[in-house]
Amino acid sequence: QVQVVESGGGLVQTGGSLRLSCAVTGRYARLNRMGWYRQAPDNQREMVAMFPSVGSVTYGDSVKGRFTISRNKAQNTVYLQMNNLVSEDTAVYYCKAEVGFGVRTADYWGQGTQVTVSS
């Protein structure tokens, strides 16, 4: 059973920083893409930052220059460093991992972690 577990959300003031962590555990053949999405009330879920299978990291336009995604490949863990937070960053942040089982792939989501930015 594959599990995706996030941690690190919380309440922070405008201009502050937070660091989210996400770990993938369980049995699978390979880890393809892994990264972060977020969903604010009454909004669609949007991509925040993603490590692709190949190529460069991708960031959502609204977080470029403020957020940085990093990873520890050996521990199948990704991090999201969020700096200069603004109220529009308030959302539930979800980690998503695409894993492979032979020729089949599957997406797994974490339970989400709340980030609230207060003015």
Side-chain angles (χ1 to χ4, degrees), residues 23-49:
V24 183
T25 62
R27 296 176 63 87
Y28 50 89
R30 63 191 179 279
L31 179 59
N32 296 335
R33 294 177 292 178
M34 188 170 179
W36 295 94
Y37 287 71
R38 69 184 181 186
Q39 188 166 17
D42 299 324
N43 284 3
Q44 290 187 332
R45 191 170 295 189
E46 63 173 349
M47 190 274 295
V48 176

Side-chain angles (χ1 to χ4, degrees), residues 67-83:
F67 290 13
T68 303
I69 189 171
S70 60
R71 63 183 169 183
N72 182 325
K73 278 189 171 182
Q75 297 183 350
N76 294 324
T77 300
V78 295
Y79 306 94
L80 185 68
Q81 179 65 43
M82 306 184 292
N83 297 329

